[in-house]
């Protein structure tokens, strides 16, 4: 960076909305990459910025009190404004409207994350919980300590993780799922079907094809008339981008509620970027727009944003965001990892017996690996992620053998 650029940056104000992983990492990446202007990080929660994955594990079970990021914001020259709700953006004035008044910016980075979807009719009912924030986890800890009957609505990733924690706390757990299997919205039926048995193995009752009609204090009533005793109800039916506050701003929002960022993570307005759970981006690798609600996306995207913000004086972005999506889940004594995007695949290959403790599913497109799901096979995941990045084509006859290292199945070009 030239001295002239450094001088110009000193007067630039970057404001980041959202103090979760994506927001914190954006602020840190700006400093790590040499940005010398002011950086302000605004968070709606009053807590010191924290990591979310431990909420459904160690914090929920009382094995940890918090998961604050180990970041010295003061030393980095990052101003924190916590417990501050952002209410809107006025792009012509380059200002944010907040509870504490207007906040001017030269560059705005939106990292407002996602918010849990609530169950209609359940809001305000005693004993109904969500699990998204530190305060949510704090409210649920005594519920687990009481070892009461718990009903979990939704057999997705968060529902499975909470059910796991509740069983470890010796609660009686019933999971209610409207679809015919767990993870119906995330994985094909033939892949998710073996996971159904994990619930019973862990002592959790799984009810599929079960829709909730209503929730009353102490009882969940299903559409078919069944009544389930519930000392507490935890709703885990997904999340949506937290973008409602952008109404009227002129920032383009897709039908999924996400900000439609471009390949550089710029929004439709000048000097405004979006990153993490609140934004979708076009993937050249997969040929479609992706909305990724996972921790790794919130970790990787900020580096691209920071590089492009710093290059802003040149009026030309320098870095394209085109990751291999990745996430993991710890559930029912298993470590589940996924990399890639399988929607465009034309072939599926299994490695190992899905009835066993460890196995992998590979998805190929025209012979090239595009995604994989690894259950207890971390080496498959690590090697497979590199193969996806390189666009490697696999020999299916080798790839199907779990005793053969996945990298060995790559065809020589």
């Amino acid at each position: 960076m030239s001295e002239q650029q450094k001088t110009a940056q000193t007067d630039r104000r970057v404001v980041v909305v959202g103090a979760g992983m994506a927001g914190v990492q954006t602020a840190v990446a700006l400093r790590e990459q040499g940005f010398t202007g002011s950086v302000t990080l605004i968070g709606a929660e009053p807590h010191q910025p924290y990591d979310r994955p431990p909420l459904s594990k160690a914090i929920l079970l009382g094995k940890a009190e918090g998961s604050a990021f180990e970041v010295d914001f003061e030393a980095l020259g990052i101003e924190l404004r916590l417990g501050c709700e952002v209410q809107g953006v006025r792009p012509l004035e380059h200002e944010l409207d907040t509870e504490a008044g207007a906040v001017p910016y030269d560059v705005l980075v939106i990292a407002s994350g996602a918010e849990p979807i609530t169950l209609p009719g359940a809001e305000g009912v005693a004993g109904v919980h969500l699990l998204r924030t530190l305060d949510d986890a704090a409210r649920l800890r005594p519920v687990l300590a009481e070892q009461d009957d718990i009903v979990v609505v939704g057999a997705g990733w968060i529902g499975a993780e909470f059910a796991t924690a509740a069983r470890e706390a010796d609660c009686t757990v019933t999971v209610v799922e409207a679809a015919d299997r767990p993870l119906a919205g995330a994985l094909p039926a033939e892949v998710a079907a073996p996971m159904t048995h994990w619930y019973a193995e862990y002592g959790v009752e799984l009810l599929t094809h079960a829709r909730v009609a209503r929730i009353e204090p102490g009882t969940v009533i299903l559409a078919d008339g069944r009544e389930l005793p519930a000392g507490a109800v935890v709703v885990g039916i997904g999340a949506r981008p937290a973008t409602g506050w952008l109404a009227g701003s002129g920032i383009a929002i897709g039908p999924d509620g996400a900000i439609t960022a471009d390949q550089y993570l710029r929004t439709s307005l000048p000097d405004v970027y979006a990153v993490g759970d609140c934004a979708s981006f076009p993937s050249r690798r997969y040929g479609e727009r992706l909305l990724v609600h996972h921790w790794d996306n919130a970790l990787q995207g900020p580096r691209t944003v920071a590089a492009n913000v710093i290059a802003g004086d040149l009026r030309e972005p320098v870095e394209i965001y085109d990751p291999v999506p990745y996430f993991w889940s710890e559930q029912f004594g298993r470590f589940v990892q996924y990399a890639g995007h399988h929607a465009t695949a034309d072939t599926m290959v299994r490695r190992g017996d899905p009835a066993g403790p460890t196995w992998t599913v590979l998805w190929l497109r025209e012979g090239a690996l595009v995604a994989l799901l690894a259950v207890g096979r971390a080496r498959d995941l690590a090697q497979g992620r590199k193969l996806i990045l390189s666009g490697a084509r696999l020999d299916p006859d080798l790839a199907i053998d779990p005793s053969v290292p996945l990298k060995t199945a790559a065809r020589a070009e």
Side-chain angles (χ1 to χ4, degrees), residues 99-237:
E99 294 174 323
V103 177
Y105 67 85
D106 294 307
V107 178
L108 173 63
V109 180
I110 301 172
S112 51
E115 54 195 7
I117 297 172
T118 57
L119 192 66
E123 295 177 78
V125 177
V128 177
H129 300 264
L130 299 169
L131 180 54
R132 181 72 183 180
T133 69
L134 192 60
D135 290 338
D136 291 338
R139 284 188 285 268
L140 278 165
R141 278 172 63 168
V143 171
L144 297 191
E146 291 171 5
Q147 298 181 346
D148 211 339
D149 293 334
I150 294 178
V151 173
V152 179
V153 181
W157 300 112
I158 190 65
E161 290 181 2
F162 179 81
T164 299
R167 282 298 299 136
E168 291 178 8
D170 292 325
C171 297
T172 300
V173 183
T174 301
V175 176
V176 175
E177 172 56 53
D180 62 348
R181 62 187 187 279
L183 297 168
L187 296 172
E190 64 269 27
V191 176
M195 299 177 174
T196 301
H197 307 295
W198 298 358
Y199 288 75
E201 291 174 8
Y202 223 69
V204 174
E205 184 177 11
L206 173 65
L207 303 180
T208 57
H209 298 287
R211 293 188 176 275
V212 175
R214 66 184 186 278
I215 298 177
E216 299 176 354
T219 307
V220 174
I221 302 169
L222 301 181
D224 62 8
R226 284 179 290 178
E227 297 187 4
L228 308 177
V233 179
V234 177
V235 178
I237 55 175

Side-chain angles (χ1 to χ4, degrees), residues 295-385:
W295 185 90
D296 192 65
N297 180 52
L299 176 67
Q300 303 295 338
R303 298 168 188 166
T304 296
V305 169
N308 291 330
V309 167
I310 290 171
D313 288 325
L314 304 176
R315 299 300 175 192
E316 289 293 338
V318 295
E319 188 169 312
I320 291 173
Y321 190 57
D322 194 14
V324 173
Y326 165 75
F327 71 88
W328 79 95
S329 176
E330 296 176 73
Q331 53 181 269
F332 308 121
R334 293 167 170 86
F335 188 46
V336 183
Q337 295 174 283
Y338 178 96
H341 181 64
H342 66 267
T344 60
D346 54 41
T347 303
M348 191 182 81
V349 177
R350 290 189 181 275
R351 283 168 61 84
D353 182 359
T358 65
W359 46 273
T360 298
V361 173
L362 310 173
W363 285 276
L364 312 179
R365 183 180 65 216
E366 297 178 356
L369 183 65
V370 294
L372 76 158
L373 176 78
V375 178
R377 293 183 65 88
R379 184 174 295 180
D380 276 2
L381 191 289
Q383 294 181 7
R385 198 175 183 185

Side-chain angles (χ1 to χ4, degrees), residues 244-328:
W245 61 280
L246 294 172
S249 68
I251 294 174
I253 305 291
D256 54 7
I259 299 167
T260 52
D262 68 7
Q263 61 186 340
Y264 304 107
L265 297 182
R266 300 175 301 187
T267 72
S268 58
L269 293 182
D271 304 318
V272 182
Y273 294 78
V275 65
D277 291 1
C278 67
S280 64
F281 57 90
S283 171
R284 294 190 303 182
R285 188 185 313 278
Y286 294 108
E288 61 183 275
R289 180 168 286 275
L290 301 181
L291 174 60
V292 181
H293 280 185
H294 294 296
W295 185 90
D296 192 65
N297 180 52
L299 176 67
Q300 303 295 338
R303 298 168 188 166
T304 296
V305 169
N308 291 330
V309 167
I310 290 171
D313 288 325
L314 304 176
R315 299 300 175 192
E316 289 293 338
V318 295
E319 188 169 312
I320 291 173
Y321 190 57
D322 194 14
V324 173
Y326 165 75
F327 71 88
W328 79 95

